[in-house]
Short mmCIF file of all heavy atoms in Angstrom, two decimals:
data_model
loop_
_atom_site.label_atom_id
_atom_site.label_comp_id
_atom_site.label_asym_id
_atom_site.label_seq_id
_atom_site.Cartn_x
_atom_site.Cartn_y
_atom_site.Cartn_z
N THR N 33 8.46 10.34 -11.89
CA THR N 33 8.75 9.26 -12.83
C THR N 33 8.34 7.93 -12.24
O THR N 33 8.64 7.63 -11.11
CB THR N 33 10.25 9.23 -13.15
OG1 THR N 33 10.62 10.49 -13.70
CG2 THR N 33 10.56 8.13 -14.16
N ILE N 34 7.64 7.13 -13.02
CA ILE N 34 7.27 5.79 -12.62
C ILE N 34 8.01 4.84 -13.54
O ILE N 34 7.91 4.93 -14.76
CB ILE N 34 5.75 5.56 -12.74
CG1 ILE N 34 5.00 6.62 -11.94
CG2 ILE N 34 5.38 4.16 -12.28
CD1 ILE N 34 5.30 6.58 -10.46
N TYR N 35 8.75 3.92 -12.97
CA TYR N 35 9.59 3.06 -13.75
C TYR N 35 8.85 1.84 -14.27
O TYR N 35 7.88 1.40 -13.70
CB TYR N 35 10.79 2.60 -12.91
CG TYR N 35 11.62 3.74 -12.41
CD1 TYR N 35 11.58 4.11 -11.08
CD2 TYR N 35 12.42 4.46 -13.28
CE1 TYR N 35 12.33 5.16 -10.61
CE2 TYR N 35 13.19 5.51 -12.82
CZ TYR N 35 13.14 5.85 -11.48
OH TYR N 35 13.88 6.89 -11.03
N ASN N 36 9.36 1.28 -15.34
CA ASN N 36 8.84 0.04 -15.90
C ASN N 36 9.86 -1.05 -15.63
O ASN N 36 10.79 -1.24 -16.37
CB ASN N 36 8.60 0.19 -17.41
CG ASN N 36 8.21 -1.11 -18.06
OD1 ASN N 36 7.64 -1.98 -17.41
ND2 ASN N 36 8.52 -1.25 -19.33
N HIS N 37 9.67 -1.75 -14.52
CA HIS N 37 10.63 -2.78 -14.12
C HIS N 37 9.96 -4.14 -14.14
O HIS N 37 8.87 -4.30 -13.62
CB HIS N 37 11.15 -2.51 -12.71
CG HIS N 37 11.95 -1.26 -12.64
ND1 HIS N 37 13.14 -1.09 -13.31
CD2 HIS N 37 11.73 -0.10 -11.99
CE1 HIS N 37 13.61 0.11 -13.05
NE2 HIS N 37 12.78 0.73 -12.26
N GLN N 38 10.60 -5.13 -14.71
CA GLN N 38 10.13 -6.49 -14.67
C GLN N 38 10.86 -7.23 -13.56
O GLN N 38 11.96 -6.88 -13.17
CB GLN N 38 10.40 -7.19 -16.02
CG GLN N 38 9.73 -6.52 -17.21
CD GLN N 38 8.22 -6.57 -17.11
OE1 GLN N 38 7.68 -7.53 -16.61
NE2 GLN N 38 7.55 -5.54 -17.57
N LEU N 40 13.26 -9.51 -12.19
CA LEU N 40 14.43 -10.12 -12.79
C LEU N 40 14.46 -11.60 -12.49
O LEU N 40 14.08 -12.05 -11.40
CB LEU N 40 15.68 -9.45 -12.22
CG LEU N 40 15.76 -7.93 -12.42
CD1 LEU N 40 17.08 -7.42 -11.89
CD2 LEU N 40 15.63 -7.57 -13.89
N ASN N 52 5.39 2.54 -19.26
CA ASN N 52 6.55 2.70 -20.13
C ASN N 52 7.63 3.42 -19.35
O ASN N 52 7.37 4.23 -18.47
CB ASN N 52 6.18 3.52 -21.37
CG ASN N 52 5.25 2.77 -22.30
OD1 ASN N 52 5.32 1.54 -22.36
ND2 ASN N 52 4.39 3.48 -22.99
N SER N 53 8.88 3.12 -19.70
CA SER N 53 9.98 3.65 -18.91
C SER N 53 10.03 5.17 -18.92
O SER N 53 10.56 5.78 -18.00
CB SER N 53 11.30 3.08 -19.44
OG SER N 53 11.47 3.41 -20.80
N ASN N 54 9.49 5.79 -19.94
CA ASN N 54 9.52 7.24 -20.00
C ASN N 54 8.19 7.87 -19.61
O ASN N 54 7.96 9.05 -19.81
CB ASN N 54 9.91 7.70 -21.42
CG ASN N 54 8.89 7.26 -22.45
OD1 ASN N 54 8.07 6.41 -22.16
ND2 ASN N 54 8.96 7.82 -23.65
N HIS N 270 18.91 -5.07 -2.22
CA HIS N 270 18.08 -3.90 -2.51
C HIS N 270 18.02 -3.68 -4.01
O HIS N 270 18.98 -3.92 -4.74
CB HIS N 270 18.61 -2.65 -1.80
CG HIS N 270 17.63 -1.52 -1.83
ND1 HIS N 270 17.81 -0.42 -2.63
CD2 HIS N 270 16.45 -1.34 -1.19
CE1 HIS N 270 16.79 0.41 -2.46
NE2 HIS N 270 15.94 -0.13 -1.60
N ILE N 271 16.89 -3.19 -4.48
CA ILE N 271 16.61 -3.16 -5.91
C ILE N 271 17.58 -2.30 -6.70
O ILE N 271 17.86 -2.57 -7.87
CB ILE N 271 15.15 -2.70 -6.15
CG1 ILE N 271 14.69 -3.04 -7.57
CG2 ILE N 271 14.99 -1.23 -5.83
CD1 ILE N 271 14.59 -4.52 -7.84
N ASP N 272 18.14 -1.25 -6.09
CA ASP N 272 19.06 -0.39 -6.84
C ASP N 272 20.37 -1.09 -7.14
O ASP N 272 21.11 -0.71 -8.05
CB ASP N 272 19.29 0.93 -6.12
CG ASP N 272 20.12 0.76 -4.85
OD1 ASP N 272 19.86 -0.20 -4.11
OD2 ASP N 272 21.02 1.58 -4.61
N VAL N 273 20.69 -2.14 -6.36
CA VAL N 273 21.89 -2.93 -6.64
C VAL N 273 21.69 -3.76 -7.89
O VAL N 273 22.61 -3.98 -8.68
CB VAL N 273 22.21 -3.85 -5.44
CG1 VAL N 273 23.40 -4.75 -5.75
CG2 VAL N 273 22.48 -3.01 -4.20
N ILE N 274 20.45 -4.20 -8.11
CA ILE N 274 20.11 -5.03 -9.26
C ILE N 274 19.81 -4.18 -10.49
O ILE N 274 20.22 -4.49 -11.60
CB ILE N 274 18.90 -5.93 -8.93
CG1 ILE N 274 19.25 -6.84 -7.75
CG2 ILE N 274 18.47 -6.75 -10.14
CD1 ILE N 274 18.06 -7.58 -7.19
N ASP N 275 19.10 -3.10 -10.27
CA ASP N 275 18.70 -2.23 -11.38
C ASP N 275 18.97 -0.78 -10.99
O ASP N 275 18.25 -0.20 -10.18
CB ASP N 275 17.21 -2.43 -11.68
CG ASP N 275 16.75 -1.69 -12.93
OD1 ASP N 275 17.48 -0.79 -13.39
OD2 ASP N 275 15.67 -2.01 -13.45
N PRO N 276 19.99 -0.14 -11.56
CA PRO N 276 20.35 1.23 -11.20
C PRO N 276 19.30 2.27 -11.60
O PRO N 276 19.40 3.43 -11.20
CB PRO N 276 21.67 1.46 -11.96
CG PRO N 276 21.65 0.48 -13.08
CD PRO N 276 20.92 -0.72 -12.55
N ASN N 277 18.28 1.87 -12.39
CA ASN N 277 17.22 2.80 -12.73
C ASN N 277 16.40 3.20 -11.50
O ASN N 277 15.69 4.20 -11.53
CB ASN N 277 16.29 2.20 -13.78
CG ASN N 277 16.94 2.14 -15.15
OD1 ASN N 277 17.63 3.08 -15.55
ND2 ASN N 277 16.76 1.05 -15.87
N PHE N 278 16.49 2.40 -10.45
CA PHE N 278 15.83 2.75 -9.20
C PHE N 278 16.76 3.71 -8.45
O PHE N 278 17.75 3.28 -7.85
CB PHE N 278 15.57 1.51 -8.36
CG PHE N 278 14.37 0.72 -8.81
CD1 PHE N 278 14.50 -0.32 -9.70
CD2 PHE N 278 13.10 1.03 -8.33
CE1 PHE N 278 13.41 -1.06 -10.12
CE2 PHE N 278 12.00 0.29 -8.73
CZ PHE N 278 12.15 -0.75 -9.63
N GLY N 279 16.45 4.98 -8.49
CA GLY N 279 17.30 5.96 -7.84
C GLY N 279 17.09 6.01 -6.34
O GLY N 279 15.96 5.82 -5.85
N CYS N 280 18.16 6.27 -5.60
CA CYS N 280 18.09 6.39 -4.15
C CYS N 280 18.76 7.68 -3.71
O CYS N 280 19.62 8.23 -4.41
CB CYS N 280 18.80 5.21 -3.48
SG CYS N 280 17.99 3.62 -3.72
N ASP N 281 18.36 8.17 -2.55
CA ASP N 281 19.02 9.34 -1.99
C ASP N 281 20.33 8.89 -1.33
O ASP N 281 20.64 7.68 -1.29
CB ASP N 281 18.09 10.07 -1.01
CG ASP N 281 17.79 9.26 0.26
OD1 ASP N 281 18.49 8.26 0.52
OD2 ASP N 281 16.86 9.63 0.98
N TRP N 285 17.44 5.51 0.53
CA TRP N 285 15.99 5.41 0.42
C TRP N 285 15.56 5.68 -1.01
O TRP N 285 16.11 6.58 -1.67
CB TRP N 285 15.31 6.40 1.37
CG TRP N 285 15.68 6.24 2.80
CD1 TRP N 285 16.48 7.07 3.53
CD2 TRP N 285 15.30 5.17 3.67
NE1 TRP N 285 16.61 6.61 4.82
CE2 TRP N 285 15.90 5.43 4.93
CE3 TRP N 285 14.52 4.03 3.54
CZ2 TRP N 285 15.74 4.58 6.03
CZ3 TRP N 285 14.36 3.19 4.63
CH2 TRP N 285 14.95 3.46 5.86
N LEU N 286 14.61 4.93 -1.50
CA LEU N 286 14.12 5.13 -2.87
C LEU N 286 13.57 6.54 -3.04
O LEU N 286 12.84 7.05 -2.18
CB LEU N 286 13.03 4.12 -3.20
CG LEU N 286 13.48 2.68 -3.45
CD1 LEU N 286 12.27 1.77 -3.60
CD2 LEU N 286 14.34 2.60 -4.71
N LEU N 287 13.89 7.15 -4.16
CA LEU N 287 13.43 8.51 -4.41
C LEU N 287 11.97 8.57 -4.81
O LEU N 287 11.30 9.57 -4.59
CB LEU N 287 14.29 9.14 -5.52
CG LEU N 287 15.76 9.36 -5.19
CD1 LEU N 287 16.50 9.85 -6.42
CD2 LEU N 287 15.92 10.35 -4.05
N ASN N 288 11.47 7.48 -5.42
CA ASN N 288 10.10 7.47 -5.91
C ASN N 288 9.38 6.20 -5.48
O ASN N 288 10.00 5.17 -5.23
CB ASN N 288 10.07 7.57 -7.44
CG ASN N 288 10.65 8.86 -7.96
OD1 ASN N 288 10.07 9.92 -7.80
ND2 ASN N 288 11.83 8.78 -8.58
N ASN N 289 8.08 6.31 -5.41
CA ASN N 289 7.24 5.15 -5.15
C ASN N 289 7.12 4.35 -6.44
O ASN N 289 6.60 4.86 -7.44
CB ASN N 289 5.86 5.60 -4.68
CG ASN N 289 4.94 4.45 -4.31
OD1 ASN N 289 5.07 3.34 -4.84
ND2 ASN N 289 4.01 4.70 -3.42
N PRO N 290 7.58 3.10 -6.48
CA PRO N 290 7.59 2.33 -7.73
C PRO N 290 6.26 1.66 -8.07
O PRO N 290 6.15 1.01 -9.09
CB PRO N 290 8.65 1.26 -7.45
CG PRO N 290 8.53 1.01 -5.99
CD PRO N 290 8.21 2.34 -5.38
#
Side-chain angles (χ1 to χ4, degrees):
T33 302
I34 305 299
Y35 301 107
N36 173 27
H37 295 296
Q38 301 296 326
L40 303 183
N52 291 329
S53 59
N54 62 346
H270 192 253
I271 196 66
D272 70 317
V273 176
I274 300 170
D275 187 344
N277 287 319
F278 281 92
C280 293
D281 67 14
W285 303 107
L286 286 173
L287 294 174
N288 297 290
N289 183 332

